[in-house]
Structures are given as C-alpha cells and as structure tokens.
Amino acid sequence: MENLEIALEQEKKLKYPFDMTSKHPFPQGEENFNKWLVSEYFKNGTVEAVFRKYRYDIPISYAQYQRVLGKWGIVKTAGPNSKLAESLEFFSYLAKENIPFEKLYKKMPPSFRTSAVTLYRILGYMKEGITRRIGVALVLTPYNSNTKVLIAHDISTPRIELGKSFGSISLPMGYARKRDTRKVNILRILQQEVFTKDVIGATFPHYVIPDFPEPFMYLDIADVRVSVFHITLPKNLSRKNFFSSYKLKDYLFEDKKNILENIQGRNYRAGVVDAVKGYSKYLGLVERNLVINPLQTQSLLNKDLATITVDLEI
C-alpha cells in the first residue's frame, strides 16, 4: 500500500509539475507554468540554457519541457542566433577599422561567446565566397505602404564599441534549417523576433504567412545565404506597438529611402541595407510587371572583407 501511495504521488508530480517543491517561485497553475516555460525558452534560446539558468532546479523533466514547446507550436531554434549577431558585429567592426584580428578579438566583452577559431573559419569562407549555412530575413511592410519597412533595435548582442550597450538596427532575421519548409523557417523568425507575446499567449497570427512564400532575394552575409522575403501585414497588425520580442525592441516602420540614405547615421546590422536595396529594386521590377527570378548578391560586408588585407597578430 505504501509503495502504491508513493507511485501515485510521483505520477501526480509528473502531471502537475508546478506543485513540486523548488527553491524558485514558479507560476502556479498548469497553463501559467507552461506559458512561463515558453517565455523562458524565448529568453534563453534553448531548453538546456533554461535548465542551466535555474541550476537544473525546474520542476519538470527535459522531455516534458520539449513536449510543452511542441504543444505550444514552437519552432525550435535553428542555430545559435546570438552568435550570428555577434559574428556580424565583429566582422562589421573589423571591416570598418581594419585592425588586426587578434587585437580586436581581445577587446571582446566577457559575454562574447563566439570562439576565435569559428571567426577565422567564417572569415575564410567569406574570402572564398562560400556559404555553409542558410538564414531568413523578413521585409515586413504595413498594409497601407509598401515603401515602409519594419526595423528594430537588436538588444541581444552587446556592441563592440566602448560605451555602446546594445547592438545594431536590424530586420527580423536569423538562421534557418535546410530540412524545414519556407513557411516553417519564416514562422521561426516571426515567433522569436516579431510576435513573441502572441506565441506565449497562444494568439499567434498564422494567417500572415503566405501559403507559398517565395524569396525576392538571396543575400550572402558572412557565411550564411539568407533568403529575404516580403510580407505585407494586415491592418490589425500594422501598429508598431503590436510587436514583441526578447531580442528586438523599439520597432519602427521606416521609409526605405531613409534606410538607404541613412541620414540619421544609424548603425544598421550587416545585410540590412543590402536587403532593403534589393527590395527597392524588386518593387521597381514589380511595378513594371516584370517576372523575375530572386535577386542574388553578396552583402557589402562580404565584399569589403574579400578585398581588404586582414593582418593577424602572431
């Protein structure tokens, strides 16, 4: 009888993990607890990172956590997106200042996680014109203007320059998986960088994703071939205060002309201006009723690093 009671108690704890004893004050109620799990996943990027953050003192198993994410319809992270942002920041500064690689790397803050070996390898791919990964970038425009593009401030990556606490102005963009469909890869970016609160609240607007999305451009940024898609948002989703993410903030619909001319002197993430330039060209072709294949080009960053000599300190 005693063994039966123990077994029933264990089963109860597995079914209702939020009732388990823990050092951390977790939300009460299954739905609230699950929302917290989803939120923490978006904040930290992986299930393993969440467990590490709470020193493995979470009242749920790894497998149960994965099942919650599956139930919530979460598209799993395709790669270390923070490292994508880090590497772009690093190479942008390297191209701009043209200082020795090792000297710049030693200036990186403790939070910089990309290894020098990885950066060397990426640089080699860039110089040879090789891409080894794929990504997705989204040009999102409001319902009433195809010349205004959604941009936001990247808060996931510390700036390299002294005194700059956050990263660049960016489009929603990140890694993709080759085995996933285009819709799934777009969904991943929208979940992580545009409609995060809606995902947590189970109100994500799936209808914004076209049934058969086609990129208007392929853009090589570092060693990543990025498929750039254009999506026109409906009226109810065209307000900048509707967007949410743990990676981006201060969303703004900016005219593409202002992005290209950059009179404000903003620090755009590598590839953003290239993508908007391609979008502007794409609009011109559409207005002339020309059917085209996706544009294909290298980013300015890749072109700069392919031609300059990067000195390495021994």
Side-chain angles (χ1 to χ4, degrees):
M1 180 63 69
E2 183 179 353
N3 291 337
L4 178 60
E5 291 177 352
I6 293 175
L8 290 173
E9 183 64 25
Q10 289 177 339
E11 182 180 354
K12 179 181 178 181
K13 288 180 178 180
L14 289 174
K15 187 175 182 180
Y16 304 103
F18 46 84
D19 288 331
M20 294 176 66
T21 302
S22 174
K23 297 178 182 179
H24 301 282
F26 296 108
Q28 297 298 302
E30 185 174 10
E31 183 176 357
N32 289 334
F33 182 71
N34 288 344
K35 286 182 178 180
W36 178 85
L37 291 173
V38 173
S39 176
E40 287 298 309
Y41 177 79
F42 282 127
K43 288 179 183 178
N44 296 279
T46 65
V47 171
E48 178 63 27
V50 178
F51 274 100
R52 286 199 305 268
K53 177 181 177 181
Y54 291 93
R55 299 187 177 183
Y56 299 91
D57 185 30
I58 300 178
I60 191 172
S61 71
Y62 189 93
Q64 286 174 313
Y65 202 146
Q66 295 286 1
R67 283 195 289 271
V68 169
L69 296 179
K71 181 180 178 181
W72 236 254
I74 307 303
V75 180
K76 304 296 177 57
T77 302
N81 284 283
S82 60
K83 290 188 177 182
L84 172 61
E86 281 184 346
S87 61
L88 294 184
E89 283 282 334
F90 182 89
F91 288 122
S92 295
Y93 200 69
L94 185 68
K96 178 182 177 182
E97 301 298 330
N98 194 19
I99 63 177
F101 183 104
E102 295 289 346
K103 184 177 181 180
L104 177 59
Y105 190 79
K106 290 176 181 177
K107 290 183 177 181
M108 296 300 97
S111 58
F112 193 88
R113 292 177 290 173
T114 309
S115 69
V117 173
T118 297
L119 292 172
Y120 274 130
R121 184 170 61 247
I122 294 174
L123 181 59
Y125 288 138
M126 293 169 68
K127 284 184 168 293
E128 295 178 22
I130 298 173
T131 56
R132 65 185 184 93
R133 304 201 64 171
I134 63 171
V136 164
L138 302 179
V139 173
L140 303 176
T141 58
Y143 77 101
N144 58 351
S145 175
N146 63 1
T147 64
K148 291 186 176 181
V149 177
L150 184 68
I151 56 176
H153 203 124
D154 177 11
I155 57 175
S156 65
T157 307
R159 285 280 295 280
I160 292 172
E161 297 93 326
L162 184 64
K164 301 291 186 179
S165 57
F166 295 117
S168 310
I169 303 297
S170 180
L171 296 171
M173 62 188 295
Y175 285 123
R177 282 180 177 165
K178 293 180 180 179
R179 66 174 180 265
D180 289 339
T181 65
R182 289 173 175 171
K183 288 190 69 172
V184 170
N185 282 324
I186 291 173
L187 175 59
R188 178 184 293 107
I189 303 302
L190 290 175
Q191 286 184 343
Q192 294 183 358
E193 303 202 0
V194 185
F195 299 118
T196 301
K197 286 185 179 179
D198 297 276
V199 180
I200 298 170
T203 58
F204 181 86
H206 288 273
Y207 55 87
V208 303
I209 305 176
D211 290 331
F212 304 100
E214 293 286 343
F216 67 83
M217 183 181 194
Y218 293 112
L219 177 64
D220 293 350
I221 312 175
D223 64 337
V224 184
R225 175 148 295 176
V226 179
S227 299
V228 190
F229 296 87
H230 170 234
I231 296 177
T232 301
L233 298 173
K235 185 176 182 179
N236 63 311
L237 299 179
S238 293
R239 302 187 307 273
K240 63 181 182 180
N241 60 351
F242 193 86
F243 310 117
S244 60
S245 172
Y246 293 114
K247 297 181 179 180
L248 303 177
K249 74 170 187 177
D250 299 333
Y251 292 88
L252 171 69
F253 282 113
E254 182 63 275
D255 193 282
K256 61 183 179 63
K257 181 180 179 181
N258 293 337
I259 296 175
L260 295 175
E261 296 179 354
N262 196 17
I263 298 175
Q264 300 94 331
R266 293 190 178 113
N267 179 48
Y268 288 106
R269 177 189 283 186
V272 170
V273 174
D274 303 281
V276 174
K277 184 177 181 180
Y279 173 65
S280 184
K281 183 177 181 180
Y282 163 75
L283 284 183
L285 294 171
V286 170
E287 290 173 358
R288 293 159 55 191
N289 294 319
L290 295 177
V291 179
I292 61 168
N293 292 322
L295 305 171
Q296 188 166 338
T297 187
Q298 288 188 328
S299 66
L300 291 174
L301 173 64
N302 287 43
K303 293 176 182 177
D304 288 343
L305 288 178
T307 56
I308 68 172
T309 300
V310 180
D311 295 325
L312 305 180
E313 288 188 346
I314 306 300

